[in-house]
Amino acid sequence: MKLALITKSNLWKKVHKQLKPWREVVLPGFSVIGLIILIRLTGLLQSQEWLAFDQLLRLRPNEAVDSRVVIVGIDEDDINYVGRFPIPDKEIAQMLRILHTYKPRVIGLDLFRDKSSLADAELAPVWKENPNLIGVEVALNRKQSFNVKPPPELPPERVGFADTIVDPDGKLRRSLMASKTYAGELKYSLPLRLAQLYLDELGIKFTHGSRSYDPIKFGSSQLVRFLPNSGGYVGTDANGFQVLLNFRSHPQPFRTISLRDVLNNKIDPNWIRDRIVIIGMTAASVKDRFTISAVKNTLYTTGLGVDESSDQYQWIYGVEVHAHATSEIISHVLDRRPLLKVWSEIWEYLWILTWGLIGIILGLILQSPAKTLLSLGITSIEIVGICYVGLILGWWIPLVPTLLAFTSAGLTTFFFDRDLRALLEQRSLTLKRSFEAIHNGPLQSLAVILRSLGDEEIEPEKLRSQLEQLNRELRTIPEYLSQEMLTRSDSVYLEGNEVLDLQTPISEMLYYVYDITLRRNFQGFITIQSFIPPNFEPLEECNLNANQKRGLYLFLQEALCNVGKHSQGATCLDVVCTRSSKEYCLQIIDNGFANISKNYQRSGQGTGQAQDLARQLRGKFRRFPHSPQGTVCELTWPIASSRWQKLLNLDNWKVLVKKY
């Protein structure tokens, strides 16, 4: 039992150790996601989400014109034709009688006729003669003086209110279908009344409860009620039964005819037969307009200094709003055209969180700034595409907070991960340089001292001198490491106070390393009688970066030191540098007996340095016997084209990074 607890404890420590770096990188990304979700909850992203919603609606492909809805628009030319405004009841009655002869299924009159006395003799009979005629009122204002009563001849079931709901940014995105007045009376909108009468002729019955927010159904089809936090809305007044307006995507979604054409019988009867006809004002001088940005560019006249050619903001007349709302209902019931729906809040925030997590993962996986930005950009376009397709299918999917969570979490994670990796790489480089400096200096001197102690008795003064030299080398290392790590100088430590500048030509530096290494007091150098001067000129055209030069100098020093420490009875030492058509080759050859174990050859610090250098140069490192006696230490690497070498050169990349 105790052993199991210890095992679990050790396992948890290992897991905690592995997760600690990830926690430092991932937590900032999660914090950004949480902050964006909090900002959305406060409603600060509401306006941005509305704009994105409007833009995606406008980018939808064109839909077919809804021929079931016809608008009779009374424009400026009609007013001039009649000669008066408001339009007299006589002309209105004449228009209604002419339209009635064309047998429309239902007519909606979006013109206010509030009379304190009996209705005008010209218009009153028309209300009674046309049971399919729907009047309009304004009924939902708290102050009764702001309301407009319907014609007294019309029963309540033939009256619809024209009240609309405008968002705080001044644009129209919702339609109020049913609501209770401040007196507690349940009222229905003009579009709902028109759709109700039109569908009733087809046997599709309208059902609704006694409360304004009860479900509204037409047969088996149910309207989708707007809620306070639907889509991009946050804490919005959702009293009554509201729906999101799914504007028909077309520059001219409905056939529009003028009052003049009707009075002069210049219309095709087929345009009117069995249609919904909505009559209203389309004159710029009549302030019955709303600002929207969710429909295609139209020919609406603004009259208020707004650029008509602007694709972002469009004016739409009240009669056209009623046409869109009516078309939305009957198209959904008869054609299954989707209503605008939204996910539940939990699914919306899970959606935002999921894309934030994907951003964090990309920030961790992609370590290149270019790859990270490219991936975030492409994926952001995909998110926009998903939301666009969703909107075509009738789903309002959150876009702005999703993009913010995805890109912000991805970039935050990437930068934190990059900084952490840079810190770890710097620590690793510091350790590596420390090992190199200790191995190539003090450890080499210590190896000589130990060998001297094993072979013969050494005089105290000589031993003291060697130990003092070792002490000086050890004390020099911290100063060198501080200089290199703090100033990022291009230098390499060899021994004692020898610090080489990596900017010196390769051939000169290699010979200098060769010369000072052979001066070291190694037993193996004493017996050598033949030193063949090396020629490093074949490497003059070899373009290496600072790290590769460092590794090459340390490789030569290590190979020579191995001869001095481990070769017994060597009389000849030869350093051969050649260049063929395909590769460079550097060999250190001696003819002594190598007293060195296989284990040392495989796992020594010097061997590891040589193998690491070979990997950097995409070459090979070998140590093999020399015939008839001795050892060959060989490093070969391919010759790259000058352009490819410049591309691979790390120093060039450093310059580019600093520049940009």
Side-chain angles (χ1 to χ4, degrees), residues 250-292:
H250 195 281
Q252 293 182 341
F254 312 106
R255 185 185 301 278
T256 302
I257 57 180
S258 67
L259 173 63
R260 304 184 309 282
D261 292 336
V262 176
L263 295 179
N264 295 320
N265 293 302
K266 292 182 178 180
I267 59 175
D268 186 344
N270 293 322
W271 295 351
I272 305 299
R273 186 173 293 112
D274 286 331
R275 304 295 198 267
I276 298 174
V277 179
I278 308 177
I279 305 168
M281 298 302 301
T282 57
S285 59
V286 181
K287 310 303 182 183
D288 184 20
R289 294 167 297 181
F290 300 92
T291 305
I292 61 173

Side-chain angles (χ1 to χ4, degrees), residues 56-317:
L56 291 181
L57 279 178
R58 294 181 60 251
L59 292 175
R60 292 176 300 170
N62 281 347
E63 300 179 72
V65 174
D66 192 350
S67 60
R68 293 169 300 206
V69 178
V70 178
I71 296 174
V72 177
I74 303 175
D75 56 19
E76 297 290 351
D77 291 335
D78 289 329
I79 295 175
N80 293 332
Y81 176 79
V82 174
R84 288 180 56 190
F85 183 81
I87 304 298
D89 289 348
K90 179 180 178 181
E91 279 72 18
I92 297 296
Q94 182 183 355
M95 175 183 61
L96 292 174
R97 287 191 176 96
I98 293 173
L99 290 174
H100 183 66
T101 61
Y102 297 142
K103 301 187 183 305
R105 189 169 297 180
V106 58
I107 299 176
L109 186 61
D110 186 25
L111 298 174
F112 296 105
R113 286 297 183 268
D114 181 14
K115 300 293 183 73
S116 57
S117 59
L118 293 177
D120 189 279
E122 294 288 343
L123 192 55
V126 179
W127 300 118
K128 299 176 182 179
E129 295 167 2
N130 297 284
N132 62 343
L133 183 59
I134 305 295
V136 70
E137 66 176 334
V138 175
L140 304 181
N141 291 301
R142 183 185 295 272
K143 279 190 174 183
Q144 289 299 318
S145 59
F146 291 162
N147 293 325
V148 180
K149 295 180 181 180
E153 293 81 13
L154 292 179
E157 62 271 14
R158 289 177 55 192
V159 176
F161 62 74
D163 301 70
T164 55
I165 300 175
V166 179
D167 287 330
D169 63 351
K171 297 179 188 175
L172 190 68
R173 298 181 182 89
R174 293 172 285 157
S175 177
L176 183 60
M177 293 294 174
S179 178
K180 283 191 174 183
T181 66
Y182 283 95
E185 183 181 0
L186 182 61
K187 298 279 188 176
Y188 294 103
S189 68
L190 176 62
L192 189 70
R193 288 298 193 191
L194 294 173
Q196 177 186 356
L197 192 56
Y198 181 87
L199 295 173
D200 187 65
E201 291 289 326
L202 299 176
I204 301 174
K205 299 301 180 182
F206 164 79
T207 56
H208 185 225
S210 59
R211 298 170 298 185
S212 60
Y213 52 83
D214 283 340
I216 293 178
K217 296 182 179 180
F218 288 92
S220 60
S221 301
Q222 179 173 321
L223 300 186
V224 179
R225 182 172 176 245
F226 173 85
L227 298 175
N229 295 321
S230 290
Y233 289 87
V234 178
T236 304
D237 183 3
N239 288 327
F241 196 102
Q242 305 175 31
V243 297
L244 288 169
L245 269 172
N246 189 6
F247 291 95
R248 184 167 287 271
S249 181
H250 195 281
Q252 293 182 341
F254 312 106
R255 185 185 301 278
T256 302
I257 57 180
S258 67
L259 173 63
R260 304 184 309 282
D261 292 336
V262 176
L263 295 179
N264 295 320
N265 293 302
K266 292 182 178 180
I267 59 175
D268 186 344
N270 293 322
W271 295 351
I272 305 299
R273 186 173 293 112
D274 286 331
R275 304 295 198 267
I276 298 174
V277 179
I278 308 177
I279 305 168
M281 298 302 301
T282 57
S285 59
V286 181
K287 310 303 182 183
D288 184 20
R289 294 167 297 181
F290 300 92
T291 305
I292 61 173
S293 58
V295 297
K296 301 284 185 178
N297 190 22
T298 64
L299 300 178
Y300 302 146
T301 304
T302 64
L304 292 177
V306 180
D307 184 6
E308 294 180 17
S309 63
S310 173
D311 285 339
Q312 184 176 4
Y313 301 106
Q314 297 296 329
W315 291 94
I316 186 172
Y317 294 103

